[in-house]
Amino acid sequence: MTKAIKLLTALPPPQRQRLMTLAHEVSFPEDTRIFEAGGTADRFWVIRSGAVSLTQQVTAQQRVTVAGLGSGDLLGWSWLFPPYRWDFGAEAFSPVRAYEFNAAAVLELCEEDPQLGVILVRSVAEILAHRLETTRGKLLEQYAMHRRSAL
């Protein structure tokens, strides 16, 4: 299994400092919907404190939590890939403080500093690979539990 990485600590200090010049602090009260699947992905966050649930709407009445994020975790990656729409929804599970980044400004910075761009894309790819492996493991566990209960 891949190792979970934190975006800001994955960046070398000079690139991290450049990226942080674009950050501004935000907070979300508990139970706040931060974004909805299908919405425009024009920003991302690095969680400073609190917990966020990534959710998927499975029916009109049912939303399922697919992952939980906490301190240091990247929230939002759809800003990096066309069509720039959120694949999941996100909700503050507790009061959350985060650094918010405007996607257009970060992409412009990456054009100015290609080394930052490469490191950022690789870091996001590693984060996604880890989350995919974790999700696959959870699905396999649920399948095994369902098979046992069906017998």
Side-chain angles (χ1 to χ4, degrees):
M1 179 175 256
T2 60
K3 180 183 169 213
I5 69 164
K6 307 294 184 184
L7 181 65
L8 294 179
T9 57
L11 298 173
Q15 282 75 29
R16 182 173 49 246
Q17 290 169 353
R18 289 202 71 200
L19 181 64
M20 289 305 293
T21 65
L22 301 177
H24 70 277
E25 293 184 35
V26 297
S27 60
F28 302 102
E30 184 175 352
D31 297 329
T32 299
R33 290 297 293 170
I34 300 169
F35 56 83
E36 295 289 347
T40 302
D42 59 357
R43 66 197 68 240
F44 66 95
W45 301 264
V46 174
I47 300 168
R48 295 183 61 214
S49 65
V52 173
S53 298
L54 293 180
T55 61
Q56 182 68 56
Q57 197 77 34
V58 291
T59 68
Q61 296 81 25
Q62 186 181 15
R63 190 179 288 157
V64 174
T65 297
V66 295
L69 305 177
S71 182
D73 285 333
L74 171 68
L75 172 59
W77 51 266
S78 298
W79 61 275
L80 194 53
F81 306 103
Y84 310 109
R85 298 276 176 212
W86 299 119
D87 286 316
F88 301 99
E91 184 172 341
F93 187 73
S94 69
V96 171
R97 292 183 329 147
Y99 293 119
E100 183 177 87
F101 298 86
N102 176 285
V106 171
L107 292 171
E108 186 175 311
L109 181 62
C110 290
E111 290 291 324
E112 294 169 12
D113 183 349
Q115 183 180 10
L116 171 62
V118 168
I119 294 168
L120 186 66
V121 169
R122 282 184 181 159
S123 297
V124 171
E126 284 184 52
I127 291 166
L128 292 176
H130 176 74
R131 289 185 187 167
L132 182 60
E133 279 189 49
T134 301
T135 301
R136 184 174 69 103
K138 287 179 182 177
L139 288 172
L140 289 172
E141 285 175 20
Q142 287 191 355
Y143 175 74
M145 286 190 316
H146 176 74
R147 293 274 299 162
R148 282 193 296 267
S149 67
L151 296 176

